[in-house]
Amino acid sequence: MIITYEDLKELNSLDSLKAEQIQSTADRGNFQVMRKKSQEIYGSVGPILFRKGAVGDWKNLFTEAQSQEMDAKFKECLWGTKLKANLKYDVYCKA
């Protein structure tokens, strides 16, 4: 199962889960908790993967040329796949 940060931000209702399960998952899946553990789990790349916890923050880091290059590569490699829909590329990623 693939779940993205964007998916988590869009979840409105978890009626089928017990309150304890929701709280336990929320405690472990909290961005700040994951960020603190990122270096332990991912090494030196951890802090790069877990920067701010804001959808679309990449726009503050990429130049226009980098954004266009990413769009072209994504279209070349992933355009017709389910991953494109799961990532909601046109909403969150396309420059």
Side-chain angles (χ1 to χ4, degrees):
M1 177 180 172
I2 296 174
I3 189 161
T4 64
Y5 181 72
E6 290 79 4
D7 290 333
L8 292 172
K9 294 292 261 185
E10 288 181 359
L11 290 176
N12 292 326
S13 174
L14 296 172
D15 296 332
S16 64
L17 297 176
K18 294 180 183 175
E20 308 86 50
Q21 291 173 309
I22 293 171
Q23 190 59 52
S24 174
T25 301
D27 290 345
R28 290 181 284 129
N30 174 288
F31 183 82
Q32 296 306 324
V33 171
M34 291 190 302
R35 185 176 187 197
K36 285 179 185 175
K37 292 187 69 83
S38 68
Q39 191 156 2
E40 176 186 326
I41 296 169
Y42 300 105
S44 61
V45 76
I48 296 168
L49 294 173
F50 294 87
R51 292 184 321 272
K52 292 185 180 179
V55 175
D57 184 53
W58 64 271
K59 293 175 186 178
N60 295 321
L61 301 173
F62 278 30
T63 65
E64 182 63 29
Q66 290 171 321
S67 295
Q68 291 174 357
E69 183 179 347
M70 184 67 185
D71 287 345
K73 194 63 164 173
F74 188 89
K75 189 171 185 178
E76 175 189 335
C77 299
L78 299 170
W79 198 255
T81 68
K82 290 181 182 179
L83 183 58
K84 177 192 178 273
N86 287 347
L87 290 176
K88 298 180 179 110
Y89 191 84
D90 292 336
V91 175
Y92 296 114
C93 304
K94 194 171 182 180

